[in-house]
Amino acid sequence: MNWLRGKKTYMVAAMMVAISILNIMSGEESLGTFVSSPHFNTLLEGIGLGTLRAGVTKSVFR
């Protein structure tokens, strides 16, 4: 399981973003309702999680 070291957070962030994008692409919601839905918050949280992990990697492993 050593190959997963440092990649688990990126996988979770990618899944969060993918699920949110699939919800808008499925056609069940319009863009206006998507922005006000919890799926949009999940999208932003996934992007933020990936960005946070990238920042921690750069500062800790230097």
Side-chain angles (χ1 to χ4, degrees), residues 4-10 49-62:
L4 280 176
R5 188 174 188 170
K7 295 178 180 73
K8 294 181 293 262
T9 307
Y10 290 120
L49 184 63
T51 304
L52 178 66
R53 179 63 174 109
V56 168
T57 301
K58 289 180 183 177
S59 67
V60 171
F61 295 112
R62 269 193 154 172

Side-chain angles (χ1 to χ4, degrees), residues 1 15 50:
M1 294 291 275
M15 284 188 282

